[in-house]
Amino acid sequence: MLAKDEDALICDMAETYHVLDIWALPVETLAVLASGLRGNSRIKMKMAGAEYIPIEYILAHISDSLSM
């Protein structure tokens, strides 16, 4: 995750766990917390290659359909 996007991981850790200095954590703790991030976190979406959250895409499609 660090190699893929360090900034996204830092943002997700700060948002989810209020950890501002990920380098102060033991590696094992950082790994456990990172694996516990929600599926729509910045880093997990980037790791999966997703550019959007599927439910948001569905809601946008419904909204577009209703406005026609």
Side-chain angles (χ1 to χ4, degrees), residues 15-27:
E15 179 182 18
T16 304
Y17 302 115
H18 307 288
V19 173
L20 301 177
D21 183 10
I22 65 170
W23 306 111
L25 296 173
V27 174

Side-chain angles (χ1 to χ4, degrees), residues 2 4 17 20 23 28 31-32 36-37 49 51 55 59 63:
L2 283 170
K4 186 76 168 178
Y17 302 115
L20 301 177
W23 306 111
E28 294 85 5
V32 168
L37 290 168
E51 295 181 13
I55 189 67
L59 291 173
S63 176

